[in-house]
Amino acid sequence: MASRKESSGAAGGGGFGASKGKGKAAATGDSAVVLKIIKHYQEEGQGNEVVQGVLLGLVVDDRLEITNCFPFPQHTEDDADFDEVQYQMEMMRSLRHVNIDHLHVGWYQSTYYGSFVTRALLDSQFSYQHAIEESVVLIYDPIKTAQGSLSLKAYRLTPKLMEVCKEKDFSPEALKKANIAYENMFEEVPIVIKNSYLINVMLWELEKKSAVADRHELLSLASSNHLGKSLQLLMDRVDEMSQDIVKYNTYLRNVSKQQQQKHQYQQRRQQENIQRQSRGEAPLPEEDINKLFKPPQPPPRMESLLIAGQINTYCQNIKEFNAQNLGKLFMAQALQDYNN
């Protein structure tokens, strides 16, 4: 799971960092952060249970260095007295006392088959990014990781979406004006994992000691259950999108129907005033037509964008899954031909 890839950062330390811009990421710090995230899920994550935690570190030049983390403890509804804010403050105070980086730089979350594009993640990341401009959210996929390759991605909200979230106006008109689509809601930040030289030496030793047959197990195809589950989740999101489209079409029909009612009312009003004028009577007083015909409330479009973003994520996961299995087939065939 650990990578031996080195970057041109400072020597001696290991870890990973995320660049604030769109350029190449640089990495320094403590690589144990990745292992802590994995360990947290293995201890407390079961099935589709999501685990979360806080990322600590510092900003150096144009990169965000993540050097430490700690998990949010699992608690039930019975733990009414538990205060998450107070817990975080006490943890950071304790880390500061032992001279460990204690600055808040984001948070992490595990995902179940890539199901992380939700309103809860959007609201949480907005709170972090609004308070700490450089903060990111790390998404750890334990299912992909179990197949032989570490799956860890960093995301931030785009500036356009940040402005919309500040205004708290998710109407179709506001999102259209801001030119928000599911493709430009989140921006992926490149990350680089770096190990110290001692860990690199240990990994080389472990690789030398491992049997050839054990390494060949990585060429085995992933279970079809993974593909089937991903397709099922994809179909569920497509059904939700269809229901949302029906709601929006119903809203458009109601708006069109109300426009017709307004037009008919204005025509009747105009004819009645003409008749009153012919009788020498004063015309009827002007009325606020918007008070008589309250416009229907448009359905919020943010949920639709999130569903579309989640559908796109599932499609990418399925594409990567098929490409990975195809690559394993070619490698296994080449290995078989070589042995023959």
Side-chain angles (χ1 to χ4, degrees), residues 1-2 4 144-150 207 210-223 321 323-332 335:
M1 292 183 292
R4 291 191 298 271
K144 281 188 177 181
T145 302
Q147 296 176 359
S149 60
L150 175 64
E207 185 174 1
S210 63
V212 176
D214 294 336
R215 293 203 300 270
H216 290 170
E217 291 179 359
L218 295 176
L219 298 179
S220 62
L221 298 182
S223 172
F321 174 83
Q324 184 181 25
N325 279 346
L326 184 61
K328 288 181 178 180
L329 281 174
F330 284 130
M331 292 179 65
L335 182 62

Side-chain angles (χ1 to χ4, degrees), residues 184-235:
N184 56 9
M185 293 176 62
F186 297 91
E187 57 181 358
E188 184 176 353
V189 182
I191 62 175
V192 175
I193 301 174
K194 181 182 177 184
N195 294 320
S196 67
Y197 296 139
L198 292 177
I199 294 179
N200 287 337
V201 172
M202 183 189 70
L203 290 175
W204 280 113
E205 291 295 330
L206 291 176
E207 185 174 1
K208 290 179 181 179
K209 293 180 181 179
S210 63
V212 176
D214 294 336
R215 293 203 300 270
H216 290 170
E217 291 179 359
L218 295 176
L219 298 179
S220 62
L221 298 182
S223 172
S224 60
N225 292 334
H226 177 79
L227 180 59
K229 186 64 178 179
S230 298
L231 289 173
Q232 182 61 50
L233 292 172
L234 175 60
M235 290 187 293

Side-chain angles (χ1 to χ4, degrees), residues 12 180 243 317 332 336:
I180 295 294
Q243 296 174 5
N317 289 345
Q336 183 178 1

Side-chain angles (χ1 to χ4, degrees), residues 8 15 23 43-44 48 67 113 126 192 200 208 230 264 269 334:
S8 59
E43 292 179 347
E44 299 187 7
N48 58 354
T67 58
Y113 285 97
F126 170 73
V192 175
N200 287 337
K208 290 179 181 179
S230 298
Q264 293 173 358
R269 190 81 169 181

Side-chain angles (χ1 to χ4, degrees), residues 243-256 296 299:
Q243 296 174 5
D244 204 69
I245 292 174
V246 171
K247 292 180 181 179
Y248 188 67
N249 289 335
T250 302
Y251 160 75
L252 293 179
R253 287 195 298 268
N254 292 335
V255 170
S256 177

